[in-house]
Amino acid sequence: MLVAERYEMIVRLVNERGSIRVTELSELCGVTEETIRRDLDRLEQAGRLRRSHGGAVSVKEQQAEIPYFEREITRAEEKKRIAQEAVRRIRPNERIILDASSTAWYMAASLPDIPLTVLTNSIKVATELSGKEKIQVISTGGILAARSLSYVGPLAERSLDAYHVDKLFLSCKGVHLERGISESNELQARVKQKMIGIADRVVLLADSSKFGTQSFTYVAGLDEIDEIITDRHLPRETSDELKAHGIPVATA
């Protein structure tokens, strides 16, 4: 295989999979890992991919967040059922976090007016809960991300350091059995990493379309997730693999 052909093969594989490791590229291309690392350096300099720890990610994944109104209507019925199932896990007087996902907003809409403390970086979630008198709402503050109607950045991250919660309910852009959960936006990913760090229990809300994919920015490994709530369209083999990793999976 000519060098130019190998370059094209590497870029094609990275774009098809979203990300790939050096070891795998070495096997597929039939060259040493050191050669692959040099190839990746050159391809990154040419702007055709982005180096990551142990491999490379597609520059096509470096996309802006999907506007909130689009996320709100995408797979809406599945998200509503997932949200309702998640609400069943909430008890009076608990302290919880709801992230800025559309599924978390559906949760806020479904929450009964019971004594709760809800920490969120979502304007939509905070607004939805404002009419429920028994629920105390704490907003992180921070830089307003207009496309997601949420707060991100250093202030949002620092404000989370001041709290400890019983449960976190979050969503993401991608769920991969080996590479964990990921986001399309680094600022959102950093906030979610902070959220995971202050929660006793982490519940991932992800419809079946998100499984088997990896977005641009790593958030956390699946070993940091205590439970996954998804829809009934998740393939049986995927559910079995998750359970084999010790992660309970509930379908709504």
Side-chain angles (χ1 to χ4, degrees):
M1 183 187 298
L2 298 174
V3 173
E5 293 175 334
R6 189 170 71 243
Y7 285 174
E8 292 304 315
M9 180 178 180
I10 290 171
V11 172
R12 176 176 58 79
L13 288 167
V14 171
N15 286 337
E16 285 177 354
R17 303 187 186 189
S19 68
I20 193 166
R21 299 189 66 80
V22 168
T23 51
E24 191 171 0
L25 285 171
S26 174
E27 293 176 4
L28 292 170
C29 297
V31 295
T32 67
E33 292 183 16
E34 186 58 37
T35 297
I36 291 295
R37 291 189 185 94
R38 287 197 297 269
D39 290 348
L40 295 180
D41 287 338
R42 294 188 180 100
L43 289 167
E44 182 177 51
Q45 290 170 8
R48 303 194 65 189
L49 51 75
R50 180 176 175 272
R51 289 297 310 271
S52 65
H53 180 68
V57 296
S58 171
V59 293
K60 290 184 178 181
E61 292 294 321
Q62 300 183 38
Q63 56 192 2
E65 289 183 85
I66 298 171
Y68 195 95
F69 74 90
E70 290 185 27
R71 291 190 286 124
E72 190 176 314
I73 61 175
T74 302
R75 300 180 70 88
E77 289 306 312
E78 288 90 342
K79 291 176 180 178
K80 287 178 183 178
R81 288 196 294 269
I82 290 169
Q84 289 164 0
E85 181 67 25
V87 166
R88 297 189 181 100
R89 285 149 176 77
I90 297 173
R91 300 291 176 263
N93 299 306
E94 285 188 325
R95 301 159 299 179
I96 69 170
I97 299 179
L98 298 181
D99 74 353
S101 64
S102 53
T103 310
W105 175 66
Y106 286 127
M107 278 189 70
S110 300
L111 269 175
D113 191 5
I114 59 175
L116 284 176
T117 298
V118 179
L119 178 58
T120 187
N121 70 322
S122 166
I123 292 176
K124 290 276 288 184
V125 167
T127 302
E128 184 67 40
L129 294 176
S130 64
K132 301 182 181 184
E133 296 180 356
K134 296 179 182 177
I135 299 178
Q136 181 184 47
V137 181
I138 301 173
S139 179
T140 63
I143 299 169
L144 176 62
R147 294 174 73 87
S148 59
L149 297 176
S150 64
Y151 293 115
V152 295
L155 178 57
E157 294 169 30
R158 286 197 302 270
S159 68
L160 289 166
D161 285 333
Y163 299 102
H164 168 260
V165 300
D166 301 299
K167 295 169 185 171
L168 161 63
F169 297 89
L170 84 162
S171 190
C172 62
K173 293 297 185 296
V175 186
H176 195 283
L177 287 170
E178 297 173 357
R179 304 182 184 109
I181 63 175
S182 53
E183 268 294 336
S184 62
N185 180 284
E186 185 174 4
L187 291 175
Q188 290 288 354
R190 288 175 62 88
V191 169
K192 293 185 182 190
Q193 287 166 355
K194 284 284 187 180
M195 289 177 171
I196 290 171
I198 65 169
D200 284 341
R201 184 170 181 81
V202 179
V203 181
L204 179 64
L205 315 173
D207 67 72
S208 56
S209 69
K210 297 178 179 179
F211 287 82
T213 65
Q214 183 180 20
S215 197
F216 175 53
T217 306
Y218 173 84
V219 176
L222 289 179
D223 59 332
E224 297 185 71
I225 305 301
D226 296 295
E227 182 182 12
I228 294 174
I229 304 177
T230 186
D231 60 61
R232 66 191 69 172
H233 303 297
L234 183 71
R236 176 70 176 273
E237 56 270 24
T238 303
S239 178
D240 289 344
E241 286 189 68
L242 288 165
K243 291 174 182 176
H245 281 77
I247 305 170
V249 178
T251 56

